[in-house]
Amino acid sequence: MTELHHFTDALDGPVYVVTAAAGQERAGCLVGFASQCSIHPPRFVVWLSTANHTYRVAREAPYLTVHLLRRDQTELAELFGGETGDRVDKFARAAWRPGAEGSPVLAEAEIWFTGRVEGQIEGGDHVGFLLAPDREGPPVEGPPPALLRYGDVRHMEAGHPA
Ligand SMILES: Cc1cc2nc3c(=O)[nH]c(=O)nc-3n(C[C@H](O)[C@H](O)[C@H](O)COP(=O)(O)O)c2cc1C
């Protein structure tokens, strides 16, 4: 048995903000555990900690929206990764608009997609949400922006205790 630290310490993947809406409730958090998992059909999985407010809303949400951040968008990352919806209304502090079935689309994030939740996958203390992409933001003009990555935010203290 190993804690996998040597392996994961070498990783520096992009981080995402995943948002959800169910009824009148909205939620969103910073996510490092996420990946495309199928090409035909296109599918993507995001892993949410069962401790998080976002998980509790996502369980009832028909769609989730997955946003990439630019490397300079550390304030948004701090808001969604360093605060919990159990204590603050993140959507009063960030501009957003309702997308598919109200799924919040953050105004400052240029690259995003909204996916229909096709299933949930038990993964230990995180649950995978299998997403079938439904719509995405327009293509980015010019060279792709430098993305916010795990190494940029690894110092950040998660807003919700695990
Ligand atoms: C670098 C980093 C990566 C994170 N990755 C995940 C993740 O993959 N899944 C997750 O559920 N939470 C992850 N978190 C933790 C949540 O973003 C954090 O606890 C947040 O405050 C939860 O907010 P909520 O309670 O409003 O959902 C990560 C936090 C940081 C700083």
Side-chain angles (χ1 to χ4, degrees), residues 50-96:
T50 56
N52 288 353
H53 177 246
T54 304
Y55 167 73
R56 295 198 296 281
V57 176
R59 261 190 329 200
E60 311 297 330
Y63 291 88
L64 300 182
T65 297
V66 182
H67 309 77
L68 286 167
L69 299 183
R70 287 191 321 268
R71 198 157 183 211
D72 60 4
Q73 291 182 306
T74 46
E75 258 183 55
L76 262 188
E78 285 279 358
L79 176 62
F80 281 92
E83 304 282 357
T84 172
D86 284 337
R87 279 197 295 270
V88 305
D89 179 3
K90 300 181 189 184
F91 296 89
R93 300 197 198 169
W96 63 279

Tab-separated table of all heavy atoms in Angstrom, residues 50-96:
chain	number	residue	atom	x	y	z
A	50	THR	N	-17.109	14.057	-1.506
A	50	THR	CA	-18.437	13.906	-0.887
A	50	THR	C	-18.620	14.884	0.273
A	50	THR	O	-19.734	15.082	0.742
A	50	THR	CB	-18.651	12.464	-0.381
A	50	THR	OG1	-17.593	12.131	0.523
A	50	THR	CG2	-18.681	11.480	-1.539
A	51	ALA	N	-17.519	15.511	0.732
A	51	ALA	CA	-17.616	16.485	1.826
A	51	ALA	C	-18.127	17.845	1.335
A	51	ALA	O	-18.638	18.636	2.129
A	51	ALA	CB	-16.247	16.670	2.479
A	52	ASN	N	-17.981	18.115	0.045
A	52	ASN	CA	-18.190	19.471	-0.473
A	52	ASN	C	-19.667	19.827	-0.669
A	52	ASN	O	-20.483	18.976	-1.052
A	52	ASN	CB	-17.473	19.657	-1.823
A	52	ASN	CG	-15.974	19.717	-1.643
A	52	ASN	OD1	-15.489	19.757	-0.513
A	52	ASN	ND2	-15.251	19.704	-2.749
A	53	HIS	N	-19.960	21.093	-0.488
A	53	HIS	CA	-21.286	21.627	-0.819
A	53	HIS	C	-21.605	21.329	-2.285
A	53	HIS	O	-22.738	20.949	-2.628
A	53	HIS	CB	-21.290	23.141	-0.547
A	53	HIS	CG	-22.567	23.808	-0.918
A	53	HIS	ND1	-22.644	24.740	-1.942
A	53	HIS	CD2	-23.826	23.687	-0.420
A	53	HIS	CE1	-23.896	25.145	-2.043
A	53	HIS	NE2	-24.628	24.534	-1.136
A	54	THR	N	-20.604	21.487	-3.146
A	54	THR	CA	-20.849	21.282	-4.587
A	54	THR	C	-21.341	19.858	-4.868
A	54	THR	O	-22.231	19.654	-5.703
A	54	THR	CB	-19.568	21.569	-5.396
A	54	THR	OG1	-19.147	22.901	-5.093
A	54	THR	CG2	-19.820	21.457	-6.894
A	55	TYR	N	-20.788	18.881	-4.159
A	55	TYR	CA	-21.222	17.492	-4.353
A	55	TYR	C	-22.707	17.342	-4.015
A	55	TYR	O	-23.463	16.713	-4.759
A	55	TYR	CB	-20.383	16.555	-3.483
A	55	TYR	CG	-20.966	15.168	-3.390
A	55	TYR	CD1	-20.911	14.297	-4.483
A	55	TYR	CD2	-21.612	14.729	-2.228
A	55	TYR	CE1	-21.466	13.032	-4.416
A	55	TYR	CE2	-22.170	13.467	-2.154
A	55	TYR	CZ	-22.095	12.619	-3.245
A	55	TYR	OH	-22.660	11.373	-3.179
A	56	ARG	N	-23.110	17.965	-2.925
A	56	ARG	CA	-24.500	17.793	-2.481
A	56	ARG	C	-25.474	18.404	-3.494
A	56	ARG	O	-26.546	17.861	-3.731
A	56	ARG	CB	-24.684	18.390	-1.085
A	56	ARG	CG	-23.868	17.627	-0.038
A	56	ARG	CD	-24.352	17.907	1.370
A	56	ARG	NE	-24.180	19.294	1.774
A	56	ARG	CZ	-23.006	19.809	2.184
A	56	ARG	NH1	-21.924	19.056	2.222
A	56	ARG	NH2	-22.917	21.067	2.549
A	57	VAL	N	-25.092	19.517	-4.107
A	57	VAL	CA	-25.959	20.117	-5.136
A	57	VAL	C	-25.858	19.300	-6.436
A	57	VAL	O	-26.871	19.029	-7.088
A	57	VAL	CB	-25.586	21.597	-5.368
A	57	VAL	CG1	-26.401	22.199	-6.508
A	57	VAL	CG2	-25.812	22.405	-4.084
A	58	ALA	N	-24.631	18.875	-6.776
A	58	ALA	CA	-24.423	18.144	-8.036
A	58	ALA	C	-25.217	16.841	-8.080
A	58	ALA	O	-25.663	16.405	-9.148
A	58	ALA	CB	-22.929	17.867	-8.221
A	59	ARG	N	-25.387	16.212	-6.919
A	59	ARG	CA	-26.155	14.957	-6.852
A	59	ARG	C	-27.555	15.107	-7.427
A	59	ARG	O	-28.143	14.167	-7.936
A	59	ARG	CB	-26.297	14.532	-5.383
A	59	ARG	CG	-25.328	13.493	-4.972
A	59	ARG	CD	-25.662	12.954	-3.615
A	59	ARG	NE	-26.292	13.925	-2.732
A	59	ARG	CZ	-26.323	13.799	-1.411
A	59	ARG	NH1	-25.763	12.763	-0.843
A	59	ARG	NH2	-26.914	14.714	-0.661
A	60	GLU	N	-28.110	16.321	-7.324
A	60	GLU	CA	-29.485	16.573	-7.790
A	60	GLU	C	-29.501	17.342	-9.111
A	60	GLU	O	-30.572	17.679	-9.604
A	60	GLU	CB	-30.251	17.418	-6.756
A	60	GLU	CG	-30.162	16.918	-5.319
A	60	GLU	CD	-30.777	15.533	-5.165
A	60	GLU	OE1	-31.712	15.227	-5.918
A	60	GLU	OE2	-30.278	14.767	-4.310
A	61	ALA	N	-28.326	17.673	-9.655
A	61	ALA	CA	-28.265	18.563	-10.829
A	61	ALA	C	-28.301	17.754	-12.129
A	61	ALA	O	-27.590	16.762	-12.264
A	61	ALA	CB	-26.978	19.391	-10.772
A	62	PRO	N	-29.115	18.181	-13.097
A	62	PRO	CA	-29.136	17.464	-14.384
A	62	PRO	C	-27.892	17.756	-15.235
A	62	PRO	O	-27.527	16.951	-16.090
A	62	PRO	CB	-30.404	17.990	-15.063
A	62	PRO	CG	-30.710	19.303	-14.398
A	62	PRO	CD	-30.137	19.242	-13.018
A	63	TYR	N	-27.283	18.917	-15.031
A	63	TYR	CA	-26.113	19.331	-15.825
A	63	TYR	C	-25.038	19.865	-14.880
A	63	TYR	O	-25.342	20.456	-13.837
A	63	TYR	CB	-26.473	20.466	-16.779
A	63	TYR	CG	-27.393	20.069	-17.900
A	63	TYR	CD1	-28.777	20.111	-17.727
A	63	TYR	CD2	-26.881	19.639	-19.124
A	63	TYR	CE1	-29.636	19.733	-18.750
A	63	TYR	CE2	-27.726	19.266	-20.153
A	63	TYR	CZ	-29.106	19.315	-19.961
A	63	TYR	OH	-29.934	18.936	-20.962
A	64	LEU	N	-23.773	19.737	-15.285
A	64	LEU	CA	-22.665	20.433	-14.630
A	64	LEU	C	-21.931	21.241	-15.689
A	64	LEU	O	-21.871	20.827	-16.869
A	64	LEU	CB	-21.676	19.448	-13.986
A	64	LEU	CG	-22.214	18.509	-12.900
A	64	LEU	CD1	-21.067	17.654	-12.343
A	64	LEU	CD2	-22.893	19.279	-11.786
A	65	THR	N	-21.379	22.375	-15.280
A	65	THR	CA	-20.562	23.162	-16.216
A	65	THR	C	-19.118	23.155	-15.728
A	65	THR	O	-18.848	23.336	-14.535
A	65	THR	CB	-21.108	24.602	-16.355
A	65	THR	OG1	-22.430	24.523	-16.911
A	65	THR	CG2	-20.239	25.440	-17.288
A	66	VAL	N	-18.209	22.895	-16.667
A	66	VAL	CA	-16.784	22.734	-16.372
A	66	VAL	C	-16.033	23.878	-17.053
A	66	VAL	O	-16.127	24.036	-18.282
A	66	VAL	CB	-16.281	21.370	-16.907
A	66	VAL	CG1	-14.815	21.166	-16.551
A	66	VAL	CG2	-17.125	20.229	-16.354
A	67	HIS	N	-15.332	24.689	-16.245
A	67	HIS	CA	-14.631	25.864	-16.775
A	67	HIS	C	-13.126	25.695	-16.611
A	67	HIS	O	-12.666	25.229	-15.560
A	67	HIS	CB	-15.011	27.131	-15.994
A	67	HIS	CG	-16.478	27.369	-15.832
A	67	HIS	ND1	-17.260	26.682	-14.929
A	67	HIS	CD2	-17.302	28.255	-16.436
A	67	HIS	CE1	-18.510	27.117	-14.998
A	67	HIS	NE2	-18.567	28.069	-15.900
A	68	LEU	N	-12.377	26.150	-17.604
A	68	LEU	CA	-10.928	26.293	-17.462
A	68	LEU	C	-10.643	27.729	-17.046
A	68	LEU	O	-11.380	28.645	-17.424
A	68	LEU	CB	-10.230	26.006	-18.800
A	68	LEU	CG	-10.173	24.526	-19.216
A	68	LEU	CD1	-9.761	24.417	-20.688
A	68	LEU	CD2	-9.212	23.758	-18.328
A	69	LEU	N	-9.579	27.936	-16.284
A	69	LEU	CA	-9.187	29.292	-15.898
A	69	LEU	C	-7.861	29.637	-16.568
A	69	LEU	O	-7.020	28.765	-16.792
A	69	LEU	CB	-9.019	29.388	-14.375
A	69	LEU	CG	-10.265	29.096	-13.526
A	69	LEU	CD1	-9.945	29.306	-12.049
A	69	LEU	CD2	-11.447	29.954	-13.947
A	70	ARG	N	-7.696	30.939	-16.854
A	70	ARG	CA	-6.379	31.424	-17.295
A	70	ARG	C	-5.438	31.458	-16.103
A	70	ARG	O	-5.881	31.564	-14.956
A	70	ARG	CB	-6.472	32.830	-17.888
A	70	ARG	CG	-7.101	32.930	-19.259
A	70	ARG	CD	-6.852	34.351	-19.803
A	70	ARG	NE	-6.982	35.361	-18.770
A	70	ARG	CZ	-8.102	36.025	-18.475
A	70	ARG	NH1	-9.209	35.771	-19.147
A	70	ARG	NH2	-8.117	36.940	-17.518
A	71	ARG	N	-4.171	31.456	-16.380
A	71	ARG	CA	-3.172	31.402	-15.311
A	71	ARG	C	-3.263	32.590	-14.354
A	71	ARG	O	-2.903	32.475	-13.187
A	71	ARG	CB	-1.778	31.349	-15.955
A	71	ARG	CG	-0.786	30.866	-14.977
A	71	ARG	CD	0.423	30.264	-15.568
A	71	ARG	NE	1.206	29.801	-14.431
A	71	ARG	CZ	2.493	29.741	-14.411
A	71	ARG	NH1	3.174	30.070	-15.483
A	71	ARG	NH2	3.113	29.333	-13.336
A	72	ASP	N	-3.778	33.747	-14.872
A	72	ASP	CA	-3.855	34.931	-14.000
A	72	ASP	C	-5.176	34.996	-13.209
A	72	ASP	O	-5.391	35.948	-12.458
A	72	ASP	CB	-3.658	36.221	-14.820
A	72	ASP	CG	-4.710	36.389	-15.919
A	72	ASP	OD1	-5.628	35.549	-15.988
A	72	ASP	OD2	-4.613	37.347	-16.700
A	73	GLN	N	-6.032	34.000	-13.346
A	73	GLN	CA	-7.340	34.059	-12.673
A	73	GLN	C	-7.293	33.389	-11.294
A	73	GLN	O	-8.172	32.592	-10.929
A	73	GLN	CB	-8.416	33.449	-13.563
A	73	GLN	CG	-8.681	34.330	-14.794
A	73	GLN	CD	-9.767	33.783	-15.674
A	73	GLN	OE1	-9.715	32.628	-16.108
A	73	GLN	NE2	-10.782	34.590	-15.946
A	74	THR	N	-6.294	33.775	-10.517
A	74	THR	CA	-6.124	33.148	-9.204
A	74	THR	C	-7.223	33.579	-8.224
A	74	THR	O	-7.543	32.852	-7.296
A	74	THR	CB	-4.741	33.476	-8.616
A	74	THR	OG1	-4.499	34.869	-8.789
A	74	THR	CG2	-3.632	32.712	-9.313
A	75	GLU	N	-7.796	34.784	-8.447
A	75	GLU	CA	-8.865	35.230	-7.542
A	75	GLU	C	-10.087	34.324	-7.644
A	75	GLU	O	-10.697	33.972	-6.637
A	75	GLU	CB	-9.277	36.664	-7.877
A	75	GLU	CG	-8.688	37.672	-6.926
A	75	GLU	CD	-9.161	39.080	-7.224
A	75	GLU	OE1	-10.389	39.296	-7.274
A	75	GLU	OE2	-8.292	39.939	-7.426
A	76	LEU	N	-10.434	33.964	-8.892
A	76	LEU	CA	-11.575	33.052	-9.082
A	76	LEU	C	-11.263	31.695	-8.460
A	76	LEU	O	-12.125	31.063	-7.842
A	76	LEU	CB	-11.853	32.855	-10.574
A	76	LEU	CG	-12.942	33.674	-11.243
A	76	LEU	CD1	-13.166	33.165	-12.664
A	76	LEU	CD2	-14.260	33.608	-10.468
A	77	ALA	N	-10.018	31.254	-8.631
A	77	ALA	CA	-9.614	29.963	-8.050
A	77	ALA	C	-9.706	30.019	-6.525
A	77	ALA	O	-10.183	29.072	-5.895
A	77	ALA	CB	-8.198	29.609	-8.488
A	78	GLU	N	-9.292	31.140	-5.932
A	78	GLU	CA	-9.366	31.311	-4.471
A	78	GLU	C	-10.817	31.268	-4.008
A	78	GLU	O	-11.132	30.665	-2.988
A	78	GLU	CB	-8.753	32.658	-4.046
A	78	GLU	CG	-7.249	32.711	-4.082
A	78	GLU	CD	-6.605	32.089	-2.840
A	78	GLU	OE1	-7.348	31.648	-1.948
A	78	GLU	OE2	-5.365	32.030	-2.808
A	79	LEU	N	-11.689	31.946	-4.758
A	79	LEU	CA	-13.103	31.982	-4.383
A	79	LEU	C	-13.699	30.573	-4.407
A	79	LEU	O	-14.353	30.135	-3.459
A	79	LEU	CB	-13.883	32.912	-5.325
A	79	LEU	CG	-15.395	32.974	-5.123
A	79	LEU	CD1	-15.745	33.512	-3.736
A	79	LEU	CD2	-16.051	33.840	-6.205
A	80	PHE	N	-13.458	29.839	-5.496
A	80	PHE	CA	-14.128	28.545	-5.648
A	80	PHE	C	-13.400	27.403	-4.938
A	80	PHE	O	-14.014	26.387	-4.608
A	80	PHE	CB	-14.349	28.239	-7.133
A	80	PHE	CG	-15.541	28.983	-7.666
A	80	PHE	CD1	-15.392	30.232	-8.256
A	80	PHE	CD2	-16.813	28.467	-7.521
A	80	PHE	CE1	-16.495	30.943	-8.705
A	80	PHE	CE2	-17.925	29.161	-7.962
A	80	PHE	CZ	-17.764	30.407	-8.561
A	81	GLY	N	-12.085	27.584	-4.704
A	81	GLY	CA	-11.327	26.525	-4.027
A	81	GLY	C	-11.056	26.809	-2.572
A	81	GLY	O	-10.818	25.884	-1.794
A	82	GLY	N	-11.087	28.076	-2.188
A	82	GLY	CA	-10.716	28.452	-0.823
A	82	GLY	C	-11.899	28.806	0.056
A	82	GLY	O	-11.733	29.079	1.242
A	83	GLU	N	-13.102	28.849	-0.529
A	83	GLU	CA	-14.331	29.144	0.231
A	83	GLU	C	-15.303	27.992	0.017
A	83	GLU	O	-15.216	27.273	-0.972
A	83	GLU	CB	-14.995	30.441	-0.272
A	83	GLU	CG	-14.107	31.667	-0.247
A	83	GLU	CD	-13.971	32.273	1.142
A	83	GLU	OE1	-14.624	31.759	2.086
A	83	GLU	OE2	-13.216	33.236	1.275
A	84	THR	N	-16.235	27.861	0.961
A	84	THR	CA	-17.270	26.828	0.783
A	84	THR	C	-18.649	27.454	0.702
A	84	THR	O	-18.952	28.414	1.434
A	84	THR	CB	-17.254	25.775	1.914
A	84	THR	OG1	-18.406	24.927	1.752
A	84	THR	CG2	-17.250	26.386	3.296
A	85	GLY	N	-19.452	26.902	-0.174
A	85	GLY	CA	-20.843	27.337	-0.314
A	85	GLY	C	-21.661	27.070	0.941
A	85	GLY	O	-22.791	27.548	1.053
A	86	ASP	N	-21.114	26.303	1.870
A	86	ASP	CA	-21.802	26.126	3.157
A	86	ASP	C	-21.773	27.419	3.962
A	86	ASP	O	-22.554	27.581	4.898
A	86	ASP	CB	-21.135	25.008	3.971
A	86	ASP	CG	-21.495	23.630	3.441
A	86	ASP	OD1	-22.538	23.497	2.777
A	86	ASP	OD2	-20.716	22.693	3.678
A	87	ARG	N	-20.812	28.312	3.630
A	87	ARG	CA	-20.670	29.555	4.421
A	87	ARG	C	-20.879	30.822	3.600
A	87	ARG	O	-21.348	31.815	4.122
A	87	ARG	CB	-19.270	29.608	5.051
A	87	ARG	CG	-19.144	28.784	6.309
A	87	ARG	CD	-17.914	29.194	7.101
A	87	ARG	NE	-16.688	28.914	6.394
A	87	ARG	CZ	-16.026	27.766	6.485
A	87	ARG	NH1	-16.473	26.809	7.254
A	87	ARG	NH2	-14.921	27.582	5.801
A	88	VAL	N	-20.494	30.818	2.306
A	88	VAL	CA	-20.588	32.046	1.503
A	88	VAL	C	-21.340	31.760	0.202
A	88	VAL	O	-21.373	30.617	-0.267
A	88	VAL	CB	-19.184	32.623	1.149
A	88	VAL	CG1	-18.349	32.860	2.377
A	88	VAL	CG2	-18.445	31.729	0.179
A	89	ASP	N	-21.931	32.831	-0.353
A	89	ASP	CA	-22.577	32.714	-1.667
A	89	ASP	C	-21.541	33.121	-2.716
A	89	ASP	O	-21.334	34.304	-2.983
A	89	ASP	CB	-23.813	33.619	-1.732
A	89	ASP	CG	-24.489	33.541	-3.095
A	89	ASP	OD1	-24.024	32.754	-3.955
A	89	ASP	OD2	-25.475	34.278	-3.299
A	90	LYS	N	-20.891	32.112	-3.319
A	90	LYS	CA	-19.833	32.409	-4.296
A	90	LYS	C	-20.398	33.148	-5.511
A	90	LYS	O	-19.694	33.904	-6.170
A	90	LYS	CB	-19.167	31.104	-4.737
A	90	LYS	CG	-18.536	30.328	-3.598
A	90	LYS	CD	-17.863	29.049	-4.070
A	90	LYS	CE	-17.442	28.220	-2.864
A	90	LYS	NZ	-16.699	27.004	-3.241
A	91	PHE	N	-21.700	32.917	-5.789
A	91	PHE	CA	-22.281	33.489	-7.004
A	91	PHE	C	-22.709	34.948	-6.811
A	91	PHE	O	-23.106	35.598	-7.767
A	91	PHE	CB	-23.429	32.600	-7.495
A	91	PHE	CG	-22.903	31.243	-7.884
A	91	PHE	CD1	-22.810	30.227	-6.948
A	91	PHE	CD2	-22.410	31.018	-9.160
A	91	PHE	CE1	-22.270	28.998	-7.285
A	91	PHE	CE2	-21.873	29.795	-9.503
A	91	PHE	CZ	-21.796	28.783	-8.566
A	92	ALA	N	-22.585	35.445	-5.572
A	92	ALA	CA	-22.757	36.880	-5.346
A	92	ALA	C	-21.435	37.601	-5.585
A	92	ALA	O	-21.407	38.827	-5.696
A	92	ALA	CB	-23.241	37.127	-3.921
A	93	ARG	N	-20.345	36.833	-5.669
A	93	ARG	CA	-19.014	37.441	-5.796
A	93	ARG	C	-18.402	37.244	-7.178
A	93	ARG	O	-17.314	37.752	-7.449
A	93	ARG	CB	-18.076	36.829	-4.763
A	93	ARG	CG	-18.516	37.036	-3.339
A	93	ARG	CD	-17.344	36.778	-2.419
A	93	ARG	NE	-17.761	36.546	-1.052
A	93	ARG	CZ	-16.949	36.084	-0.107
A	93	ARG	NH1	-15.694	35.801	-0.403
A	93	ARG	NH2	-17.387	35.907	1.112
A	94	ALA	N	-19.042	36.469	-8.028
A	94	ALA	CA	-18.511	36.228	-9.380
A	94	ALA	C	-19.645	36.405	-10.383
A	94	ALA	O	-20.774	35.972	-10.115
A	94	ALA	CB	-17.939	34.812	-9.472
A	95	ALA	N	-19.336	37.042	-11.512
A	95	ALA	CA	-20.371	37.239	-12.548
A	95	ALA	C	-20.665	35.900	-13.224
A	95	ALA	O	-19.743	35.134	-13.536
A	95	ALA	CB	-19.883	38.256	-13.571
A	96	TRP	N	-21.950	35.630	-13.460
A	96	TRP	CA	-22.346	34.365	-14.077
A	96	TRP	C	-23.694	34.557	-14.758
A	96	TRP	O	-24.385	35.545	-14.541
A	96	TRP	CB	-22.439	33.258	-13.018
A	96	TRP	CG	-23.499	33.524	-11.990
A	96	TRP	CD1	-23.389	34.349	-10.901
A	96	TRP	CD2	-24.849	33.026	-11.980
A	96	TRP	NE1	-24.572	34.384	-10.225
A	96	TRP	CE2	-25.480	33.578	-10.850
A	96	TRP	CE3	-25.563	32.152	-12.813
A	96	TRP	CZ2	-26.808	33.291	-10.536
A	96	TRP	CZ3	-26.884	31.861	-12.505
A	96	TRP	CH2	-27.485	32.430	-11.383
